[in-house]
Amino acid sequence: MLDKKVQPHIQLSNDLAVDKVLLPGDPARVERLKKWLDDPKELAFNREYRSLIGSYKGTSILVMSTGMGGPSTGIGVEELANISVKYAIRIGSCGALQPEMKIGDLLVATAAVRDEGTTKAYMEEIYPAVPDYQLLSNIKQALETNHFPYHFGLVRSHDSFYTDKEASIDAYWSNKGIWGADMETSSLFVIGGLRGMRTASILNVVVTADGDLESDINKFVNTEEKVMEGENHQIKVALEALASIT
Ligand SMILES: O=P(O)(O)O[C@H]1O[C@H](CO)[C@@H](O)[C@H]1O
Ligand SMILES: O=c1cc[nH]c(=O)[nH]1
C-alpha cells in the first residue's frame, strides 16, 4: 500500500520520494549522521523516530532512528514500507560474543536468531531472519575498499538487557557460534522482508565478549574513541552500499 498520508508514528509521508534509508537505533546517531550528507534537512522527531534527509554522492538518503527493540523497529519499518522505502540498512551497536572481536570492529549480520517477541507475532519461528544478498555484497565491497576491521556472522536479537541471567545467556549463544547481540536486526529482516524491503544490518561492537555489559555501556555513553571510530566506519560503509545500488 502506498500512502500519501503522514504516517502516525514516524510522521513522514510518501511525498519524500526516497527509497533508501539508514536505521540507527539511537536518535543521537541521527544528529551525528548529518555531517555525512549533502544538504541535510531535519524532518521529524516523534517518540523514538528522529529523521533527516540528504544526499550522498548524488543518491537521496533518508535517516531515521528506530529506538530500542523489536516493537518500535517493527512499527518504524511498517510505516517506512508504507511510504515506499525499498532498501534499509541498520547501523546499530552490539555486544560481541566471540573473543577476537574488538571495540569498534564491525559485525555484518549474515542472519539473526529471532530471540524476541515481535517477529513471532508475524511468522512461525521456523521462518528465517535473513538480509538481502545484494546489499551484503555492496557492504563487503565497501569494507574491503576502506580496510575497516570487520566480521560477517550470525547475530542474536533479544528483548532483555538486565535480567539476572544475561551472562549465561551470552555464554550459551557464544558457544553456538553467534557473533553478536543486538535488539533490532531480526525484526528489520523479518518485517522488512515481508513488506518487500531489501535489508541489511551493520553493527558496531561496543562491548567485548569478556566485558561487563553495564560498565562497557557506560563507557559507550561517554563516547569512547574506538566506539566513535566504529560508528564512522559503519556509516561510511552503509552509505557506500546504498549509493552503489544500481
Ligand atoms: O545502538 P542501537 O542501534 O540502539 O543498538 C543497541 O543498543 C541498544 C542497547 O543499548 C539496543 O537498541 C541495541 O540493539
Ligand atoms: O550486549 C549488548 C550490547 C549492546 N547491545 C545489545 O543489544 N547487547
Side-chain angles (χ1 to χ4, degrees):
M1 175 188 71
L2 297 186
D3 205 328
K4 285 278 180 201
K5 290 192 303 291
V6 172
Q7 298 293 304
H9 299 93
I10 65 174
Q11 294 282 301
L12 303 174
S13 82
N14 214 31
D15 291 340
L16 284 175
V18 61
D19 66 354
K20 300 178 181 71
V21 68
L22 288 188
L23 298 173
D26 185 356
R29 210 169 294 137
V30 175
E31 175 66 31
R32 295 195 291 273
L33 256 142
K34 255 190 202 159
K35 66 175 185 291
W36 288 88
L37 298 176
D38 294 326
D39 199 18
K41 202 163 57 155
E42 296 254 11
L43 294 172
F45 195 167
N46 187 48
R47 294 176 181 258
E48 52 270 77
Y49 308 110
R50 182 177 190 179
S51 53
L52 62 89
I53 193 165
S55 68
Y56 182 80
K57 297 189 175 172
T59 299
S60 190
I61 305 280
L62 176 65
V63 177
M64 190 189 83
S65 53
T66 60
M68 286 192 279
S72 64
T73 302
I75 289 169
V77 167
E78 289 277 16
E79 294 189 5
L80 287 170
N82 286 344
I83 65 163
S84 308
V85 167
K86 299 279 179 250
Y87 301 92
I89 302 184
R90 167 165 157 74
I91 42 168
S93 64
C94 73
L97 294 178
Q98 297 300 326
E100 63 265 52
M101 301 169 80
K102 299 187 180 62
I103 300 283
D105 283 5
L106 301 185
L107 171 60
V108 183
T110 51
V113 177
R114 296 169 52 198
D115 202 3
E116 33 71 26
T118 306
T119 65
K120 296 186 181 84
Y122 280 79
M123 289 296 288
E124 306 98 285
E125 291 178 44
I126 53 174
Y127 187 84
V130 288
D132 174 65
Y133 174 76
Q134 187 61 54
L135 279 183
L136 283 192
S137 168
N138 290 4
I139 288 167
K140 177 121 191 305
Q141 178 74 50
L143 286 165
E144 286 180 352
T145 305
N146 288 283
H147 306 288
F148 296 151
Y150 71 85
H151 314 268
F152 275 73
L154 296 172
V155 166
R156 167 184 170 253
S157 296
H158 59 91
D159 279 346
S160 70
F161 208 87
Y162 290 126
T163 68
D164 297 332
K165 296 179 289 191
E166 295 302 317
S168 62
I169 294 171
D170 281 351
Y172 173 84
W173 288 107
S174 174
N175 283 331
K176 301 290 179 232
I178 306 299
W179 281 75
D182 87 336
M183 301 178 68
E184 297 81 17
T185 294
S186 59
S187 296
L188 171 64
F189 288 176
V190 171
I191 300 168
L194 288 172
R195 300 299 179 231
M197 224 180 251
R198 292 166 175 250
T199 64
S201 178
I202 307 172
L203 303 175
N204 179 24
V205 172
V206 298
V207 184
T208 53
D210 56 1
D212 170 71
L213 182 57
E214 281 196 47
S215 71
D216 281 12
I217 277 291
N218 287 334
K219 267 191 247 150
F220 179 48
V221 170
N222 293 331
T223 60
E224 201 224 317
E225 199 181 313
K226 278 280 165 199
V227 167
M228 283 301 133
E229 194 175 285
E231 183 178 291
N232 284 324
H233 291 173
Q234 70 183 154
I235 291 170
K236 170 134 205 221
V237 166
L239 286 170
E240 289 288 336
L242 289 180
S244 52
I245 289 166
T246 47

